[in-house]
């Protein structure tokens, strides 16, 4: 929690006094320097830096993945208990004060962790007790934060506060905290999630995750409401993970085992229901944007990746079965499937072309999508509600290229994937920004958008949000894994970066070429490896539903 407007109110100098009073021995100079540079809480683009600086000054540890996962599990556990016991929401706060957690505002950290440790002592097999403990923990934390904030605001004469760090990302905390602060006469500023700030630069963020519980629990709706998520993507690996970890599939799967003997159809019936449910959640956004956002992608069987006619037949069948205008059918960018892509677009099917790695593959996809739109227009059919995206994979390029770069080329490591994506955007501008596409554009057609895929960081030494932050720009989509999404929501930097350094991107690619890196050649290798991974995941799916 951060009290905002310190610098604007002329009160930044008081931070030093607070640190010396409550954290003896800590040097406030680094934080004061940050404030003097106006890197302060009211700026969403610098919130992460401010928070990191404050954490360093106060000697706080950076939250690791395991702790983040535990926090998410706690929130889910508490939310489930409160849904079963709505009457308990009003009572959990008083129970904390009555003895479930001794706390003092002056010793907030110790009280919070005392509550957390008490929760861990609860038998994990007792869902009722664990859920109640998680609710108590959240209520105690929210009340303690509220008390601390009200006291700090009173000392400084402030009337406005803003959520920072993970507070605005946790629904239970933010709702209770907002109510307490509002009741105390403070105004809670509407500090947008950094993910929402990305939309102001013309980019849609899609969640690269789908499961039955994601939709049924309301989590997808919360992503949309709190963070502006504008779409969902899936693939065989995502569904393989969902089937293995989500118990919500068990009843439907048991019924399908008795009804449907074909394993692939059994999987599709499970997955199509999830796609339909997610489409329904995103339908208001789709309608509000006149068909520009709110899509959910579902992939044809990877067994058909070298069968163009089979892929087209599957795309038509799945499009009809899903029966939602905001569905997208994923087709791989293999040479055998390029005609299927064009024919599907001509049929009016929204298409997500996947497994693109190189400039050559991207240009082939651009031409296939444009050809489909021309065919549709020649048939006298409307072209204004048909959307397509070209999914260029980013981190996988760096993973392979970095292994191949020779000694002495350290400056290129981790840079070629970003440069390749920025160059792809330049190719998109050249292909669709001029007169060649003007006739279709005048008829309301939209060119295929560049979609950045594989934007999770593979190298643990890198900033976890680096790929998302480096590729923000207009008329694009970024599909982001949930762990990377949570990291960006917490401390991501939203700024237009995609087209601000195109000459540098071309220079990086030229330097890589001088080192023997042939992106078009490597693209064929990466596409083959990606197909193999999806085929393996698909076989795991067949085993899971068998």
């Amino acid at each position: 929690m951060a009290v905002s407007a310190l610098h604007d109110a002329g009160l930044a100098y008081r931070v030093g006094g607070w640190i010396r009073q409550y954290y003896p021995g800590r040097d406030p100079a680094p934080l004061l320097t940050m404030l003097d540079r106006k890197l302060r809480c009211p700026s969403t683009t610098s919130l992460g830096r401010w928070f990191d600086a404050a954490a360093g000054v106060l000697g706080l540890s950076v939250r690791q993945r395991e702790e983040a996962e535990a926090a998410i599990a706690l929130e889910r556990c508490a939310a489930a208990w409160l849904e079963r016991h709505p009457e308990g929401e009003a009572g959990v706060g008083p129970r904390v004060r009555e003895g479930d957690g001794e706390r003092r505002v002056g010793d907030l950290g110790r009280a919070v962790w005392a509550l957390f440790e008490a929760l861990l002592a609860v038998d994990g097999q007792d869902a009722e007790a664990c859920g109640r403990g998680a609710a108590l923990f959240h209520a105690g934390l929210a009340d303690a934060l509220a008390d601390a904030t009200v006291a700090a605001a009173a000392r400084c004469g402030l009337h406005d506060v803003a959520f920072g760090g993970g507070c605005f990302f946790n629904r239970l905390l933010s709702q209770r905290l907002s109510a307490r602060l509002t009741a105390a006469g403070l105004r809670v500023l509407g500090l947008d999630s950094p993910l929402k700030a990305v939309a102001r630069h013309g980019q849609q963020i899609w969640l690269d995750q789908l499961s039955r519980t994601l939709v049924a629990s309301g989590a997808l709706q919360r992503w949309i409401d709190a963070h502006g998520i504008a779409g969902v993507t899936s693939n065989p690996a995502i569904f393989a993970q969902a089937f293995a970890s989500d118990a919500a599939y068990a009843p439907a799967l048991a019924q399908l085992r008795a009804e449907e003997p074909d394993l692939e159809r059994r999987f599709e019936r499970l997955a199509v229901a999830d796609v339909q449910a997610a489409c329904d959640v995103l339908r208001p956004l789709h309608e509000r944007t006149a068909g520009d956002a709110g899509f959910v992608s579902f992939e044809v069987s990877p067994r058909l990746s070298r069968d163009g006619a089979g892929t087209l037949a599957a795309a038509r069948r799945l499009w009809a079965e899903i029966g939602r205008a905001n569905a997208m059918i994923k087709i791989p960018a293999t040479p055998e499937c390029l005609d299927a892509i064009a024919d599907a677009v001509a049929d009016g099917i929204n298409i997500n072309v996947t497994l693109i790695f190189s400039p050559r593959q991207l240009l082939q996809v651009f031409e296939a999508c444009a050809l489909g739109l021309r065919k549709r227009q020649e048939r006298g059919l409307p072209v204004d509600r048909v959307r397509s995206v070209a999914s260029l994979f980013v981190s996988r390029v760096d993973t392979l290229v970095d292994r191949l770069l020779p000694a002495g080329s350290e400056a290129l490591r981790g840079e070629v994937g970003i440069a390749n994506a920025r160059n792809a955007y330049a190719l998109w501008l050249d292909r669709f920004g001029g007169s060649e596409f003007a006739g279709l554009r005048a008829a309301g057609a939209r060119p295929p958008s560049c979609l950045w895929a594989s934007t999770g960081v593979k190298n643990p030494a890198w900033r976890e949000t680096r790929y998302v932050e480096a590729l923000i720009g207009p008329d694009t989509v970024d599909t982001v894994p949930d762990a990377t999404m949570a990291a960006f929501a917490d401390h991501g930097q939203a700024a237009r970066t995609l087209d601000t350094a195109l000459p540098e991107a071309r220079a990086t690619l030229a330097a890589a070429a001088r080192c023997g890196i042939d992106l078009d050649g490597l693209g064929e290798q990466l596409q083959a490896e990606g197909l193999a991974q999806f085929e393996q995941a698909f076989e795991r799916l067949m085993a899971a539903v068998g």
Side-chain angles (χ1 to χ4, degrees):
M1 188 60 175
V3 179
S4 67
L6 295 175
H7 199 286
D8 290 341
L11 297 172
Y13 70 93
R14 294 194 183 182
V15 171
W18 296 341
I19 292 174
R20 292 187 184 95
Q21 178 180 353
Y22 293 106
Y23 299 92
R26 302 293 185 189
D27 181 9
L31 183 55
L32 294 176
T33 300
M34 296 289 284
L35 286 170
D36 286 342
R37 293 175 182 170
K38 297 189 177 183
L39 294 176
R40 58 194 187 279
C41 291
S43 172
T44 58
T45 58
S46 61
L47 177 60
R49 294 178 186 173
W50 193 97
F51 186 80
D52 290 344
V57 169
L58 304 180
L60 305 177
S61 63
V62 177
R63 192 173 59 182
Q64 299 299 311
R65 180 184 180 89
E66 293 80 6
E67 293 171 315
E69 289 175 348
I72 293 170
L74 279 176
E75 182 188 5
R76 288 175 177 169
C77 190
W81 185 84
L82 289 171
E83 286 178 4
R84 294 193 302 270
H85 302 280
E87 75 285 352
E89 188 162 5
V92 286
R95 289 300 301 274
V96 171
R97 285 189 289 274
E98 288 168 8
D100 282 326
E102 184 70 25
R103 60 186 177 85
R104 294 191 182 90
V105 171
D107 195 10
L108 175 60
R110 185 181 301 173
V112 167
W113 286 108
L115 284 169
F116 184 73
E117 291 167 359
L119 173 61
L120 294 179
V122 175
D123 182 6
Q125 301 304 313
D126 187 343
E128 194 69 14
C130 192
R132 176 181 172 278
L136 286 168
F137 171 76
H138 277 80
L141 177 56
D143 289 351
L145 287 170
D147 289 347
T149 303
V150 170
R155 286 195 303 271
C156 305
L158 296 178
H159 303 285
D160 299 338
V161 297
F163 292 160
C167 290
F168 66 81
F169 187 64
N170 185 307
R171 180 176 59 91
L172 296 180
L173 277 179
S174 61
Q175 287 180 348
R176 189 178 184 92
L177 203 45
S178 294
R180 284 288 314 277
L181 295 175
T182 302
L186 295 172
R187 184 176 65 148
V188 180
L189 300 181
L191 182 63
D192 278 348
S193 160
L195 288 162
K196 279 190 174 181
V198 171
R200 292 197 285 270
H201 299 286
Q203 183 175 83
Q204 295 182 29
I205 297 291
W206 293 2
L207 178 63
D208 195 26
Q209 184 63 264
L210 181 58
S211 70
R212 189 146 299 186
T213 295
L214 176 76
V215 180
S217 68
L220 176 58
Q221 186 65 61
R222 292 196 293 273
W223 276 111
I224 296 167
D225 294 341
H227 304 288
I229 299 309
V232 170
T233 51
S234 67
N235 59 44
I238 285 174
F239 275 113
Q241 180 183 16
F243 286 6
S245 60
D246 191 343
Y249 289 101
L253 182 55
Q255 182 176 350
L256 284 171
R257 282 179 173 139
E259 295 177 357
E260 178 58 70
D262 184 272
L263 294 183
E264 191 165 331
R265 289 292 299 146
R266 195 179 292 173
F267 154 67
E268 286 182 353
R269 288 177 63 180
L270 282 172
V272 164
D274 292 341
V275 173
Q276 290 172 325
C279 282
D280 292 343
V281 172
L282 283 157
R283 181 188 296 138
L285 174 63
H286 184 70
E287 294 174 347
R288 190 167 63 249
T289 60
D292 188 53
F295 293 96
V296 182
S297 295
F298 182 61
E299 190 159 346
V300 299
S301 169
R303 292 171 173 173
L304 299 171
S305 61
R306 302 296 183 184
D307 179 358
T311 291
L312 179 59
R316 287 168 170 166
R317 176 177 56 80
L318 290 170
W319 174 255
E321 287 185 11
I322 294 170
R324 302 293 192 274
N326 56 330
M328 266 190 172
I329 305 302
K330 291 179 79 171
I331 297 177
T334 59
E336 295 85 352
C337 288
L338 292 174
D339 287 344
I341 293 166
D343 289 341
V345 171
D347 286 350
I349 301 173
N350 302 318
I351 296 297
N352 179 339
V353 186
T354 187
L355 293 175
I356 304 171
F357 298 90
S358 69
R360 180 169 62 203
Q361 292 167 345
L362 184 73
L363 290 173
Q364 290 172 343
V365 170
F366 284 170
E367 181 53 38
C369 293
L371 175 60
L373 288 170
R374 288 197 299 271
K375 286 182 175 182
R376 185 169 178 82
Q377 187 181 43
E378 290 167 359
R379 297 173 189 170
L381 298 172
V383 294
D384 59 327
R385 294 301 288 259
V386 185
R387 291 300 314 274
S388 59
V389 294
S391 297
L392 182 77
F393 285 57
V394 183
S395 66
R396 293 193 194 185
V397 171
D398 277 334
T399 299
L400 178 57
V401 167
D402 286 359
R403 293 202 306 263
L404 300 175
L405 286 170
S409 54
E410 283 72 20
L412 294 175
R413 300 188 189 281
E415 298 298 330
V416 176
I418 292 172
N420 188 44
R422 289 175 172 172
N423 181 61
Y425 185 67
L427 294 174
W428 181 84
L429 291 172
D430 292 341
R431 175 64 180 81
F432 297 110
S435 59
E436 187 175 358
F437 195 75
L440 283 167
R441 192 184 295 276
R446 291 288 307 271
S449 299
C450 288
L451 180 150
W452 315 128
S454 184
T455 52
V457 170
K458 304 293 192 293
N459 188 333
W462 294 342
R463 179 177 169 87
E464 57 206 331
T465 55
R466 73 187 305 269
Y467 287 120
V468 180
E469 291 171 340
L471 300 175
I472 297 173
D475 299 308
T476 58
V477 178
D478 195 339
T479 181
V480 185
D482 50 358
T484 305
M485 190 88 77
F488 194 93
D490 185 66
H491 54 265
Q493 306 292 309
R496 182 167 174 169
T497 53
L498 179 60
D499 56 353
T500 57
L502 291 179
E504 292 85 347
R506 295 190 180 100
T508 295
L509 295 178
R514 290 193 295 271
C515 292
I517 300 300
D518 173 15
L519 282 179
D520 283 333
L522 294 180
E524 302 305 312
Q525 175 184 339
L526 286 166
Q527 188 179 84
E529 292 174 354
L531 287 170
Q533 291 173 357
F534 281 169
E535 288 166 3
Q536 292 165 7
F538 197 75
E539 295 309 314
R540 293 198 302 273
L541 276 174
M542 296 302 98
V545 300

